[in-house]
């Protein structure tokens, strides 16, 4: 009986993160120190008699020889509790003998009963009338022995053929699938969890970073905008991540077959081409074989690439780790938290205080550990760190200040940053990004700084072998507004002819990964991959052929709105209602959109600035993307230049907004045809902001006017935000 197929999981969680390492999904009693509700399954005993019981589990802290066994649980069969308590021994997954039971013919209930709420885990239960038989080791994912016991067919059910099979349902996978489907491809989207979004789901709760809709192709990112979270903090609240909305958006696409709770664990490749992938239903154990013409590895770890022998690389050391974020809260009365002698031995000085009730991204470990083979160990070390920290808050030197504290959420699904990277025809390097090296296929704007994580020294002394608090070291030479255009050739394999990739496993170096790895950027990679896949389908060509023979077509498609679609890869393109307006090369405005304001608007970016101006974006009461400010003694001056396109009377106004530190009387000059008209502007403005008139002029077509903002002798700050020009007749 595979535990993931129990009829009622109770409070146990289905954990699918480590199938490749331990051979199966399993149930996890993740109760934050409170025992979870029982998981149950009704099984049919075909013949009464004596059965020996085996349970596959282990003591998850034994690998560190930690005191105590936090993952204890019991098993009852037919209402009779077995004498043995499970989860108390073993440093790795193995079969544990539960003794013998007498069972009648007919239906009996199996019941997993958690004793602690501290992450006990159970993979499967085996009943056998052969009292001397010992179950064999797992032998990989869905071994023949397990397949036989489950009565699964030798040949998987086949689905397809698909134009594109996308493996992984995070931001990169979702965007790949939606983009390809809207361009006429038949798509399979395969996700091993029950929700979409990956790190940007309610399970991990990392808010999505990376600027979208900008650069050379500001239409890229419009699909990401449809499903991106709106979290206000990281970790955010459950409801901020919109799991249901993400699924609804995908299911609304008739060309996508969504395969939730399916883990791709194997693939068939012939003559440098993937023919199919095998996906394990993580709830039933059944296998589906998905046949496709093209495949996209959006797994983060590069699993599909590993299965088929794609060229890959992993930094030998200095890798970034995995985070498991957490939250705590305060109640109106005193609360208790169990002692955790098996967790990391921490005092309040051993970790950064979780301010605002948040354990943030820097609760990270696994640096230089085996990011693939020991992924479960890295996650479990993080859990020991969190529980050890909260134990310090509740039961040690933080107890006085945290009498009412309660642990409300700990991510059991880890957020890894770095592992395998699949290699394409271009391997993007840090120097390419900093020097802004131009590639003809540069397309996805990467706007995050080159952000690499390392152990934070002051919290590493106690556990130098595996520090659990990180710091971020930023190379800020990346253009955060326009972005660096990452080339398309980073998004397909150089030796597997029909393999795309999108996400953190694309073809970049360790250093370059520091900027491209954030979720919205990964999602934009997927948008490009989906459109390239449609070109492949229309022309029966490879991803490399798109670059070598159809690059102009691809770049043209990147100019299409996110809601452009066609019924087949060769059908005419239509635009859905509600398509977003094309953003500028600097992205959608973060303040007031100039397009919504009356008249002609010149932003501060359009002004010629002299002297020392400072950039600001406080309050978002500005036009466009921010403003500049300067005071007396800065020698700052800014000049807007306007040329009339037709005869008429024009009124000129400068933007103001209510900030107390602004000047109430600053000089402005209106220059035209050798004449200068001086006025004084109150930059504090009204509550909603307004344009303060600095004069009107009668102009002929082609006449030029300069509006000059000055700072000499002012009290307070002069703000350079926007110029409005209104034609009065």
């Amino acid at each position: 009986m595979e535990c993931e197929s129990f009829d009622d999981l109770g409070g146990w969680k289905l954990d699918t993160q480590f199938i490749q390492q331990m051979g199966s999904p399993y149930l996890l009693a993740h109760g934050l120190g409170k025992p979870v509700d029982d998981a149950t399954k009704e099984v049919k005993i075909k013949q009464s008699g004596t059965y020996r019981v085996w349970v596959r589990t282990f003591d998850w802290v034994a690998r560190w020889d930690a005191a105590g066994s936090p993952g204890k649980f019991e098993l009852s069969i037919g209402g009779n509790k077995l004498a043995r308590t499970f989860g108390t021994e073993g440093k790795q997954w193995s079969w544990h003998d539960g003794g013998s039971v007498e069972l009648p013919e007919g239906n009996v209930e199996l019941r997993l009963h958690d004793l602690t709420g501290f992450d006990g885990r159970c993979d499967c239960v085996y009943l056998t009338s052969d009292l001397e038989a010992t179950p064999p080791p797992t032998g990989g994912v869905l071994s023949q022995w397990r397949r036989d016991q489950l009565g699964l067919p030798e040949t998987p059910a086949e689905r397809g053929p698909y134009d594109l099979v996308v493996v992984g349902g995070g931001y990169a996978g979702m965007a790949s699938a939606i983009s390809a489907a809207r361009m006429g491809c038949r798509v399979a989207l395969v996700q091993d969890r029950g929700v979409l979004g990956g790190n940007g789901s309610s399970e991990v709760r990392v808010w999505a970073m990376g600027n979208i809709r900008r650069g050379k192709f500001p239409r890229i990112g419009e699909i990401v905008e449809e499903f991106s979270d709106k979290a206000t903090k990281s970790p955010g609240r459950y409801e901020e991540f919109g799991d249901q909305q993400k699924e609804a958006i995908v299911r609304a696409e008739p060309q996508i077959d969504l395969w939730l709770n399916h883990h791709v664990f194997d693939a068939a490749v012939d003559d440098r081409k993937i023919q199919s992938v095998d996906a394990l239903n993580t709830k039933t154990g059944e296998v589906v074989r998905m046949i496709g013409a093209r495949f996209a590895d959006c797994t983060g770890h590069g699993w599909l690439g590993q299965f088929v022998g794609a060229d890959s690389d992993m930094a030998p050391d200095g890798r970034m780790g995995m985070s498991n974020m957490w939250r705590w809260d305060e109640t109106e009365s005193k609360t208790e938290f169990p002692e955790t002698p098996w967790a990391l031995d921490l005092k309040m000085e051993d970790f950064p205080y979780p301010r605002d009730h948040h354990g943030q991204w820097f609760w990270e470990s696994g640096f230089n550990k085996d990011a693939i083979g020991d992924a479960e160990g890295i996650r479990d070390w993080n859990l020991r760190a969190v529980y050890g920290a909260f134990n310090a808050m509740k039961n040690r030197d933080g107890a006085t200040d945290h009498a009412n504290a309660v642990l409300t959420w700990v991510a059991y699904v880890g957020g890894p940053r770095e592992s395998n990277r699949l290699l394409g025809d271009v391997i993007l390097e840090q120097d390419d990004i900093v020097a802004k090296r131009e590639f003809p296929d540069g397309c996805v704007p990467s706007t995050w700084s080159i952000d690499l994580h390392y152990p934070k020294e002051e919290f590493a002394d106690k556990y130098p072998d595996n520090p659990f608090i990180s710091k971020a070291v930023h190379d800020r030479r990346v253009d955060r507004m326009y972005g660096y255009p990452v080339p398309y050739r980073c998004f397909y394999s150089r030796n597997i002819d029909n393999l795309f990739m999108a996400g953190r496993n694309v073809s970049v170096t360790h250093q370059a990964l520091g900027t491209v790895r954030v979720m919205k950027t990964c999602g934009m990679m997927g948008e490009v991959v989906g459109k390239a896949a449609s070109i492949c389908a229309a022309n029966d060509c490879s991803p490399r052929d798109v670059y070598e023979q159809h690059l102009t077509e691809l770049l043209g498609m990147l100019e299409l709105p996110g809601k452009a679609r066609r019924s087949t890869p060769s059908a005419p393109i239509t635009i859905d209602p509600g398509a977003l307006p094309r953003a500028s090369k600097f992205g959608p405005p973060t303040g007031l959109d100039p397009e919504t304001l009356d008249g002609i608007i010149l932003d501060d970016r359009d002004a010629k600035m002299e002297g020392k101006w400072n950039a600001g974006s406080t309050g978002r009461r500005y036009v466009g993307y921010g403003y500049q400010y300067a005071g007396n003694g800065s020698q700052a001056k800014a000049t807007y230049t306007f040329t009339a396109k037709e005869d008429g009377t024009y009124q000129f106004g400068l933007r103001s907004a209510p900030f107390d530190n602004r000047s109430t009387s600053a000089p402005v000059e209106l220059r035209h045809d050798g004449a200068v008209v001086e006025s004084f502007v109150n930059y504090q403005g009204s509550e909603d902001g307004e344009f303060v008139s600095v004069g009107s002029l009668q102009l002929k077509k082609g006449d030029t006017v300069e509006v000059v903002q000055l700072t000499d002798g002012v009290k307070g700050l002069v703000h350079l935000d926007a110029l409005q020009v209104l034609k009065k007749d």
Side-chain angles (χ1 to χ4, degrees):
M1 283 73 64
E2 297 284 356
C3 291
E4 59 268 21
S5 66
F6 270 36
D7 304 322
D8 183 355
L9 299 189
W12 295 68
K13 307 293 186 183
L14 176 61
D15 197 337
T16 65
Q17 300 169 87
F18 315 114
I19 293 174
Q20 291 299 138
Q21 294 92 338
M22 53 79 64
S24 173
Y26 60 81
L27 294 189
L28 182 75
H30 189 60
L32 310 184
K34 296 179 180 179
V36 304
D37 292 341
D38 294 351
T40 60
K41 181 178 179 63
E42 190 173 85
V43 297
K44 185 174 184 179
I45 304 299
K46 295 182 179 179
Q47 183 177 348
S48 62
T50 303
Y51 287 82
R52 194 166 184 177
V53 184
W54 295 90
V55 176
R56 190 165 184 256
T57 184
F58 75 117
D59 178 358
W60 67 271
V61 300
R63 72 189 86 184
W64 299 290
D65 297 319
S69 299
K72 297 175 184 176
F73 65 94
E74 297 172 337
L75 175 64
S76 297
I77 302 179
N80 298 312
K81 183 178 70 175
L82 300 185
R84 179 167 186 177
T85 299
F86 297 95
T88 62
E89 61 182 42
K91 294 187 176 184
Q92 58 187 2
W93 285 96
S94 61
W95 292 101
H96 294 251
D97 187 356
S100 299
V101 293
E102 293 292 329
L103 296 177
E105 180 181 351
N107 293 336
V108 299
E109 182 191 66
L110 270 63
R111 181 175 290 268
L112 287 178
H113 179 66
D114 173 38
L115 295 174
T116 69
F118 281 124
D119 301 286
R121 54 205 70 182
C122 188
D123 174 19
C124 55
V125 178
Y126 177 53
L127 304 180
T128 177
S129 57
D130 184 349
L131 303 185
E132 302 302 318
T134 301
T138 57
V141 180
L142 200 64
S143 64
Q144 187 61 48
W145 180 84
R146 291 178 82 142
R147 189 188 298 269
D148 292 342
Q149 302 307 314
L150 293 169
L152 298 176
E154 286 294 325
T155 304
E158 293 187 352
R159 296 292 183 269
Y162 293 101
D163 295 311
L164 181 68
V165 177
V166 180
V167 183
Y171 271 52
M174 289 179 63
S176 296
I178 295 170
S179 175
R182 290 181 181 177
M183 288 294 99
C185 293
R186 187 184 177 202
V187 180
L189 175 57
V190 191
Q191 167 72 329
D192 63 355
R193 307 291 305 163
V195 298
L196 295 165
N199 285 346
S201 71
S202 65
E203 294 183 321
V204 187
R205 304 191 189 180
V206 180
W207 57 5
M209 291 287 105
N211 292 325
I212 59 175
R213 300 176 59 199
R214 66 197 57 237
K216 292 174 68 175
F217 302 100
R219 289 289 188 183
I220 304 176
E222 292 185 4
I223 291 176
V224 173
E225 182 134 309
E226 293 180 41
F227 60 74
S228 178
D229 72 74
K230 302 298 187 291
T232 54
K233 293 183 179 180
S234 185
R237 301 186 307 275
Y238 169 88
E239 61 273 12
E240 290 180 309
F241 289 90
D243 294 342
Q244 294 77 18
Q245 178 192 10
K246 289 182 174 68
E247 182 175 339
I249 289 172
V250 170
R251 291 197 184 279
E253 296 297 331
Q255 297 281 76
I256 298 177
D257 287 347
L258 177 60
W259 298 86
L260 293 176
N261 296 302
H262 279 76
H263 173 80
V264 170
F265 67 94
D266 198 7
V269 63
D270 180 52
D271 192 26
R272 293 168 51 112
K273 288 186 177 180
I274 306 171
Q275 306 299 314
S276 63
V277 296
D278 287 353
L280 172 76
N281 185 317
T282 59
K283 290 189 171 182
T284 68
E286 297 174 316
V287 176
V288 177
R289 178 164 292 163
M290 300 179 189
I291 300 169
R294 277 144 233 104
F295 296 79
D297 188 332
C298 303
T299 64
H301 282 314
W303 282 123
L304 180 54
Q306 299 301 301
F307 299 154
V308 300
D311 289 345
S312 65
D313 189 23
M314 184 188 297
D317 52 36
R319 290 186 301 274
M320 292 178 282
M322 173 196 293
S323 291
N324 289 81
M325 298 192 297
W326 57 289
R327 290 177 58 99
W328 63 284
D329 212 332
E330 295 177 84
T331 62
E332 295 182 356
S333 58
K334 185 178 179 179
T335 62
E336 303 293 332
F337 186 73
E339 295 276 358
T340 58
W342 42 267
L344 298 193
D345 181 17
L346 301 178
K347 296 179 181 179
M348 296 298 291
E349 65 183 16
D350 295 326
F351 57 90
Y353 186 72
R355 299 184 185 280
D356 298 326
H357 303 96
H358 283 66
Q360 299 179 47
W361 57 267
F362 45 76
W363 289 77
E364 174 183 4
S365 76
F367 306 97
N368 297 329
K369 299 297 181 182
D370 183 352
I372 299 295
D374 192 28
E376 187 179 22
I378 296 171
R379 188 279 306 271
D380 289 348
W381 183 267
N382 287 344
L383 295 182
R384 291 183 70 208
V386 172
Y387 294 138
F390 200 67
N391 183 63
M393 293 168 63
K394 291 293 295 180
N395 302 319
R396 289 190 169 183
D397 53 334
T400 302
D401 296 327
H402 298 93
N404 296 2
V406 60
L407 194 58
T408 54
W409 177 78
V410 179
Y412 70 90
V413 179
R417 287 181 176 80
E418 182 174 11
S419 53
N420 288 312
R421 289 170 278 107
L422 306 180
L423 303 182
D425 284 344
V426 169
I427 304 173
L428 191 68
E429 299 181 357
Q430 180 177 8
D431 288 346
D432 297 329
I433 299 166
V434 172
K436 296 187 177 181
R437 178 183 176 188
E438 290 193 22
F439 292 92
D441 53 335
C443 52
V444 170
S446 184
T447 58
W448 197 248
S449 65
I450 297 176
D451 172 10
L452 300 175
H453 290 199
Y454 303 94
K456 196 165 187 178
E457 293 86 351
E458 61 259 46
F459 299 113
D461 291 344
K462 204 163 190 176
Y463 295 97
D465 179 60
N466 197 357
F468 61 89
I469 297 295
S470 70
K471 65 179 180 180
V473 177
H474 294 267
D475 181 340
R476 301 187 184 277
R477 293 176 290 174
V478 177
D479 185 339
R480 293 185 64 103
M481 290 300 294
Y482 182 83
Y484 175 77
V486 179
Y488 162 73
R489 282 171 291 171
C490 294
F491 307 150
Y492 63 83
S493 170
R494 70 187 187 187
N495 70 308
I496 301 299
D497 292 342
N498 61 343
L499 176 61
F500 289 103
M501 53 267 194
R504 65 179 177 86
N505 57 353
V506 297
S507 183
V508 296
T509 63
H510 161 74
Q511 290 79 11
L513 179 65
T515 177
V516 303
R517 62 180 175 79
V518 291
M519 283 184 288
K520 289 185 180 180
T521 304
C522 291
M524 289 188 287
M525 298 176 195
E527 293 189 34
V528 173
V529 162
K531 290 177 170 58
S534 73
I535 295 174
C536 290
N539 296 280
D540 190 24
C541 68
S542 71
R544 177 178 287 115
D545 292 335
V546 172
Y547 172 73
E548 294 181 346
Q549 302 173 24
H550 304 282
L551 182 58
T552 300
E553 182 180 356
L554 175 63
L555 299 183
M557 291 182 71
L558 300 185
E559 297 282 5
L560 293 172
K563 290 193 174 183
R565 67 173 64 244
R566 56 189 178 190
S567 57
T568 70
S570 56
I573 292 173
T574 60
I575 309 298
D576 286 356
L580 293 171
R582 189 181 192 275
S584 81
K585 63 183 180 180
F586 299 115
T590 55
L592 291 174
D593 186 350
E595 297 295 327
T596 66
L597 301 176
D598 294 336
I600 300 167
I601 303 297
L602 300 182
D603 197 11
D604 57 281
R605 294 171 176 271
D606 301 313
K608 177 185 176 183
M609 287 179 278
E610 303 173 55
K612 181 174 176 52
W613 291 93
N614 300 285
S617 57
T618 302
R620 300 203 171 189
R621 297 175 178 178
Y622 52 78
V623 174
Y625 305 90
Y627 55 82
Q628 306 289 324
Y629 62 91
N632 183 37
S634 63
Q635 298 182 331
K637 181 172 75 171
T639 303
Y640 287 105
T641 301
F642 169 76
T643 301
K645 293 185 177 180
E646 56 183 326
D647 296 351
T649 301
Y650 292 83
Q651 178 179 300
F652 298 86
L654 291 171
R655 173 78 178 176
S656 64
F659 289 95
D660 292 341
N661 63 352
R662 295 188 178 188
S663 173
T664 59
S665 181
V668 175
E669 294 180 349
L670 193 64
R671 301 175 179 177
H672 167 60
D673 197 23
V676 176
V677 177
E678 186 178 42
S679 59
F680 291 86
V681 171
N682 177 0
Y683 284 106
Q684 291 190 7
S686 65
E687 182 62 29
D688 295 329
E690 61 186 354
F691 286 92
V692 179
S693 177
V694 294
S696 298
L697 292 172
Q698 183 74 31
L699 301 177
K700 299 283 188 181
K701 179 180 178 180
D703 282 356
T704 296
V705 177
E706 291 183 344
V707 180
V708 184
Q709 294 180 249
L710 302 170
T711 61
D712 289 346
V714 299
K715 295 181 180 180
L717 298 176
V718 171
H719 273 233
L720 172 65
D721 186 2
L723 172 72
Q724 181 187 54
V725 184
L726 297 174
K727 189 170 184 295
K728 306 303 291 183
D729 54 24

